Amino acid sequence: MKILILFLAAIVIFTAGCPQQGEPRVNVREGVASDTLASNIVTRPVVHAFSVLVGEGIVVNNATAKRNEAGLLEVQVNGVNKSYDTRRFRYRMEWLDETGGLIETKTSVWLPMSAMGKQPFSFKVVAPRPEAVNFRMDTRKWEN
Amino acid sequence: MKKITVSLLAAMLAMFIAGCEPQTSNIDVTNDQGKAVMALDYRDFDQAASKMVQSMLASGALKKQGGGRYIVATSRITNDTMQRIDIDQLMAKIEQELLNSGQVVMTSAVGAQDSTDPLVQDARKLRDSEEFDQNTVAAKKTLLAPELSITGKIFQKNISYDKGMQQVEYYFELKVADLKSGLRLWQNETLIGKRGSSKSVAW
């Protein structure tokens, strides 16, 4: 039994111990890339179960706003899906004027977004009115 | 005694049947989490319109060089789906947002039939009428010609996906062209795809 455990441990260390640090802008997915702890046939269930257990999900790292050439506020939202599964969600952007008042617009609707497991994602939203100076964004689960 | 028992049973049966009937409720249109349907519903139109407007505004195509606002006419929007779609409903959302963006003004003088206001022409027929103060009647050469036009179409593709499953793809296409030069300044396609039982009717 001890030998078997040692053997499995050796395989795990051998297959996943030295992850290749490649070009960060190029993503090589599971099944194409070399095995990691998360993709190895032996360790994968444990790692994925742990991810589910701690409740990993979407994290928005930052949202940058700038005025585009047309004078409209343009917001880029950057985030990462920390879970191993594809996360589908909806977001709604609301625009605020300089007094903090809500600008009512037909474009403030729930829009779909999808991020693959353990992958970064970005999307851009443009304010439909020039008086928009700030924003607030909300998210919710994507209904079936 | 027997009558009372029968009445009670009938009342219970009526309550049971009434209880099984789904209740009518108003849709929370701002946060609707209802299930998707195979046909296009208002959420799909909202989504398509929002994406189209954002793409149009972000492109800068509507920003007039040297200031001012473009005069835009709505041309023909074709419905090539199996559904009876009120194109005006979709275009109203888009036109409203474009108007509010401060970059364009829409014209009701020319365009597709539903986008024009017949009174623009009818009011000019009053020129010879003695019933109207001619100073208040629109003079000749007062209408402004459109500079840009919006045209497009919505079409549908039904694909047999799997046994008992179908895939329905709805494509929303819009194009903006400069009417003087004929050059296309912007175009966008938004896809809304649905997958479900082939028993579901997509119209």
Side-chain angles (χ1 to χ4, degrees):
Chain A
M1 186 65 183
K2 275 183 183 175
I3 294 167
L4 180 69
I5 293 167
L6 275 170
F7 179 68
L8 284 173
I11 289 174
V12 168
I13 291 164
F14 178 72
T15 54
C18 307
Q20 298 288 309
Q21 293 295 319
E23 164 63 54
R25 291 169 293 184
V26 178
N27 180 35
V28 188
R29 287 193 186 277
E30 189 181 320
V32 182
S34 305
D35 272 4
T36 62
L37 276 173
S39 63
N40 179 267
I41 194 165
V42 178
T43 54
R44 181 193 156 101
V46 179
V47 176
H48 282 233
F50 181 74
S51 170
V52 172
L53 194 70
V54 297
E56 285 182 322
I58 294 288
V59 174
V60 172
N61 296 327
N62 59 64
T64 53
K66 64 163 190 177
R67 292 240 164 240
N68 67 12
E69 283 182 14
L72 301 168
L73 196 66
E74 199 172 282
V75 175
Q76 174 157 329
V77 178
N78 301 308
V80 64
N81 176 11
K82 294 215 163 194
S83 82
Y84 284 95
D85 302 315
T86 298
R87 283 287 167 106
R88 303 194 311 165
F89 61 97
R90 287 185 185 269
Y91 66 91
R92 181 175 63 189
M93 196 67 90
E94 290 181 316
W95 303 100
L96 307 171
D97 63 21
E98 56 185 8
T99 63
L102 180 73
I103 299 171
E104 288 201 15
T105 155
K106 297 268 183 199
T107 60
S108 289
V109 294
W110 290 102
L111 294 173
M113 183 67 200
S114 176
M116 291 193 81
K118 292 286 175 194
Q119 290 305 309
F121 66 88
S122 298
F123 58 89
K124 259 185 198 174
V125 196
V126 182
R129 313 270 177 87
E131 57 264 34
V133 294
N134 206 351
F135 68 93
R136 65 175 179 224
M137 196 188 92
D138 195 5
T139 58
R140 75 166 203 217
K141 281 173 81 173
W142 182 332
E143 72 285 351
N144 285 318
Chain B
M1 185 66 185
K2 199 178 176 184
K3 267 186 180 176
I4 294 168
T5 314
V6 171
S7 304
L8 269 170
L9 274 170
M12 279 172 72
L13 189 69
M15 281 166 75
F16 179 74
I17 291 166
C20 290
E21 236 174 67
Q23 283 191 332
T24 304
S25 60
N26 287 330
I27 300 171
D28 176 3
V29 290
T30 46
N31 293 297
D32 189 358
Q33 300 208 38
K35 286 180 182 173
V37 290
M38 286 302 277
L40 288 169
D41 71 359
Y42 78 95
R43 290 171 292 183
D44 301 317
F45 283 109
D46 283 350
Q47 186 183 314
S50 178
K51 284 188 174 177
M52 289 288 186
V53 168
Q54 288 201 34
S55 167
M56 221 182 284
L57 294 175
S59 72
L62 302 180
K63 186 77 180 168
K64 197 171 187 179
Q65 298 296 320
R69 300 165 108 189
Y70 275 122
I71 302 167
V72 181
T74 305
S75 183
R76 196 171 57 175
I77 314 285
T78 314
N79 172 21
D80 199 7
T81 69
M82 288 186 246
Q83 294 176 57
R84 195 172 164 217
I85 294 172
D86 186 355
I87 297 290
D88 284 347
Q89 195 190 351
L90 172 72
M91 286 313 292
K93 293 178 203 290
I94 293 172
E95 288 170 358
Q96 184 182 330
E97 285 308 308
L98 293 180
L99 268 171
N100 290 334
S101 75
Q103 296 190 14
V104 302
V105 282
M106 307 299 299
T107 178
S108 295
V110 284
Q113 197 180 359
D114 293 335
S115 68
T116 56
D117 182 351
L119 261 184
V120 175
Q121 296 300 333
D122 290 351
R124 282 162 169 76
K125 291 175 186 165
L126 307 174
R127 279 181 195 137
D128 302 326
S129 173
E130 290 179 358
E131 298 296 325
F132 290 88
D133 177 355
Q134 288 302 307
N135 291 324
T136 62
V137 177
K140 285 186 177 177
K141 297 184 181 177
T142 48
L143 286 178
L144 297 178
E147 297 165 288
L148 303 178
S149 81
I150 301 177
T151 182
K153 72 172 176 178
I154 307 170
F155 62 98
Q156 172 181 351
K157 276 185 186 173
N158 281 40
I159 300 159
S160 181
Y161 178 73
D162 211 344
K163 196 181 176 185
M165 291 278 282
Q166 65 171 330
Q167 180 169 306
V168 186
E169 299 166 2
Y170 298 99
Y171 295 86
F172 293 76
E173 279 185 3
L174 278 188
K175 296 166 187 171
V176 171
D178 183 332
L179 287 171
K180 204 172 269 182
S181 65
L183 297 176
R184 194 172 300 158
L185 303 180
W186 170 90
Q187 75 177 64
N188 186 270
E189 181 185 87
T190 297
L191 164 67
I192 289 175
K194 293 163 189 259
R195 219 170 265 157
S197 165
S198 13
K199 287 177 186 166
S200 303
V201 184
W203 64 82

